[in-house]
PDB file of all heavy atoms in Angstrom:
ATOM      1  N   PHE B 832      20.264  76.568  53.942  1.00  0.00           N
ATOM      2  CA  PHE B 832      19.790  76.320  55.301  1.00  0.00           C
ATOM      3  C   PHE B 832      18.727  75.228  55.292  1.00  0.00           C
ATOM      4  O   PHE B 832      17.893  75.156  54.401  1.00  0.00           O
ATOM      5  CB  PHE B 832      19.120  77.581  55.887  1.00  0.00           C
ATOM      6  CG  PHE B 832      20.036  78.731  56.148  1.00  0.00           C
ATOM      7  CD1 PHE B 832      20.220  79.728  55.204  1.00  0.00           C
ATOM      8  CD2 PHE B 832      20.701  78.838  57.359  1.00  0.00           C
ATOM      9  CE1 PHE B 832      21.052  80.806  55.453  1.00  0.00           C
ATOM     10  CE2 PHE B 832      21.526  79.921  57.626  1.00  0.00           C
ATOM     11  CZ  PHE B 832      21.711  80.909  56.660  1.00  0.00           C
ATOM     12  N   GLN B 833      18.754  74.398  56.312  1.00  0.00           N
ATOM     13  CA  GLN B 833      17.661  73.483  56.582  1.00  0.00           C
ATOM     14  C   GLN B 833      17.110  73.921  57.943  1.00  0.00           C
ATOM     15  O   GLN B 833      17.797  73.784  58.962  1.00  0.00           O
ATOM     16  CB  GLN B 833      18.148  72.036  56.622  1.00  0.00           C
ATOM     17  CG  GLN B 833      17.066  71.009  56.884  1.00  0.00           C
ATOM     18  CD  GLN B 833      16.147  70.815  55.696  1.00  0.00           C
ATOM     19  OE1 GLN B 833      16.462  71.218  54.582  1.00  0.00           O
ATOM     20  NE2 GLN B 833      15.000  70.205  55.931  1.00  0.00           N
ATOM     21  N   ASN B 834      15.892  74.456  57.916  1.00  0.00           N
ATOM     22  CA  ASN B 834      15.348  75.161  59.090  1.00  0.00           C
ATOM     23  C   ASN B 834      16.334  76.271  59.468  1.00  0.00           C
ATOM     24  O   ASN B 834      16.634  77.100  58.625  1.00  0.00           O
ATOM     25  CB  ASN B 834      15.048  74.181  60.216  1.00  0.00           C
ATOM     26  CG  ASN B 834      13.967  73.201  59.805  1.00  0.00           C
ATOM     27  OD1 ASN B 834      12.897  73.592  59.349  1.00  0.00           O
ATOM     28  ND2 ASN B 834      14.245  71.917  59.927  1.00  0.00           N
ATOM     29  N   ASN B 835      16.869  76.319  60.660  1.00  0.00           N
ATOM     30  CA  ASN B 835      17.792  77.409  60.965  1.00  0.00           C
ATOM     31  C   ASN B 835      19.239  76.952  61.033  1.00  0.00           C
ATOM     32  O   ASN B 835      20.105  77.687  61.514  1.00  0.00           O
ATOM     33  CB  ASN B 835      17.387  78.112  62.261  1.00  0.00           C
ATOM     34  CG  ASN B 835      17.378  77.159  63.445  1.00  0.00           C
ATOM     35  OD1 ASN B 835      17.504  75.959  63.268  1.00  0.00           O
ATOM     36  ND2 ASN B 835      17.230  77.688  64.638  1.00  0.00           N
ATOM     37  N   GLY B 836      19.525  75.748  60.513  1.00  0.00           N
ATOM     38  CA  GLY B 836      20.879  75.238  60.488  1.00  0.00           C
ATOM     39  C   GLY B 836      21.479  75.296  59.093  1.00  0.00           C
ATOM     40  O   GLY B 836      20.787  75.102  58.102  1.00  0.00           O
ATOM     41  N   VAL B 837      22.782  75.549  59.032  1.00  0.00           N
ATOM     42  CA  VAL B 837      23.491  75.609  57.758  1.00  0.00           C
ATOM     43  C   VAL B 837      23.871  74.198  57.325  1.00  0.00           C
ATOM     44  O   VAL B 837      24.481  73.459  58.098  1.00  0.00           O
ATOM     45  CB  VAL B 837      24.763  76.475  57.871  1.00  0.00           C
ATOM     46  CG1 VAL B 837      25.552  76.423  56.565  1.00  0.00           C
ATOM     47  CG2 VAL B 837      24.400  77.908  58.230  1.00  0.00           C
ATOM     48  N   VAL B 838      23.518  73.819  56.093  1.00  0.00           N
ATOM     49  CA  VAL B 838      23.889  72.493  55.604  1.00  0.00           C
ATOM     50  C   VAL B 838      24.947  72.563  54.517  1.00  0.00           C
ATOM     51  O   VAL B 838      25.587  71.559  54.223  1.00  0.00           O
ATOM     52  CB  VAL B 838      22.671  71.706  55.103  1.00  0.00           C
ATOM     53  CG1 VAL B 838      21.702  71.473  56.235  1.00  0.00           C
ATOM     54  CG2 VAL B 838      21.980  72.423  53.949  1.00  0.00           C
ATOM     55  N   ASP B 839      25.131  73.714  53.906  1.00  0.00           N
ATOM     56  CA  ASP B 839      26.171  73.879  52.894  1.00  0.00           C
ATOM     57  C   ASP B 839      26.512  75.351  52.765  1.00  0.00           C
ATOM     58  O   ASP B 839      25.658  76.143  52.400  1.00  0.00           O
ATOM     59  CB  ASP B 839      25.717  73.326  51.530  1.00  0.00           C
ATOM     60  CG  ASP B 839      26.846  73.272  50.499  1.00  0.00           C
ATOM     61  OD1 ASP B 839      27.785  74.074  50.587  1.00  0.00           O
ATOM     62  OD2 ASP B 839      26.783  72.413  49.599  1.00  0.00           O
ATOM     63  N   ASP B 840      27.724  75.699  53.093  1.00  0.00           N
ATOM     64  CA  ASP B 840      28.211  77.075  52.862  1.00  0.00           C
ATOM     65  C   ASP B 840      29.611  77.015  52.266  1.00  0.00           C
ATOM     66  O   ASP B 840      30.423  77.912  52.480  1.00  0.00           O
ATOM     67  CB  ASP B 840      28.174  77.905  54.142  1.00  0.00           C
ATOM     68  CG  ASP B 840      29.084  77.351  55.243  1.00  0.00           C
ATOM     69  OD1 ASP B 840      29.696  76.291  55.027  1.00  0.00           O
ATOM     70  OD2 ASP B 840      29.168  77.977  56.303  1.00  0.00           O
ATOM     71  N   SER B 841      29.878  75.959  51.519  1.00  0.00           N
ATOM     72  CA  SER B 841      31.220  75.733  51.000  1.00  0.00           C
ATOM     73  C   SER B 841      31.669  76.802  50.004  1.00  0.00           C
ATOM     74  O   SER B 841      32.865  76.999  49.809  1.00  0.00           O
ATOM     75  CB  SER B 841      31.307  74.353  50.354  1.00  0.00           C
ATOM     76  OG  SER B 841      30.338  74.225  49.321  1.00  0.00           O
ATOM     77  N   GLN B 842      30.731  77.486  49.350  1.00  0.00           N
ATOM     78  CA  GLN B 842      31.109  78.502  48.372  1.00  0.00           C
ATOM     79  C   GLN B 842      30.844  79.921  48.876  1.00  0.00           C
ATOM     80  O   GLN B 842      30.872  80.865  48.084  1.00  0.00           O
ATOM     81  CB  GLN B 842      30.372  78.251  47.051  1.00  0.00           C
ATOM     82  CG  GLN B 842      30.736  76.905  46.416  1.00  0.00           C
ATOM     83  CD  GLN B 842      30.250  76.796  44.996  1.00  0.00           C
ATOM     84  OE1 GLN B 842      30.964  77.127  44.056  1.00  0.00           O
ATOM     85  NE2 GLN B 842      29.024  76.340  44.824  1.00  0.00           N
ATOM     86  N   LEU B 843      30.602  80.063  50.143  1.00  0.00           N
ATOM     87  CA  LEU B 843      30.384  81.389  50.731  1.00  0.00           C
ATOM     88  C   LEU B 843      31.731  81.986  51.136  1.00  0.00           C
ATOM     89  O   LEU B 843      32.454  81.370  51.925  1.00  0.00           O
ATOM     90  CB  LEU B 843      29.478  81.265  51.963  1.00  0.00           C
ATOM     91  CG  LEU B 843      29.040  82.571  52.618  1.00  0.00           C
ATOM     92  CD1 LEU B 843      27.989  83.264  51.753  1.00  0.00           C
ATOM     93  CD2 LEU B 843      28.499  82.314  54.026  1.00  0.00           C
TER      94      LEU B 843
END
Side-chain angles (χ1 to χ4, degrees):
Chain B
F832 292 94
Q833 181 72 16
N834 296 308
N835 60 351
V837 175
V838 298
D839 189 332
D840 62 357
S841 57
Q842 298 192 92
L843 186 74

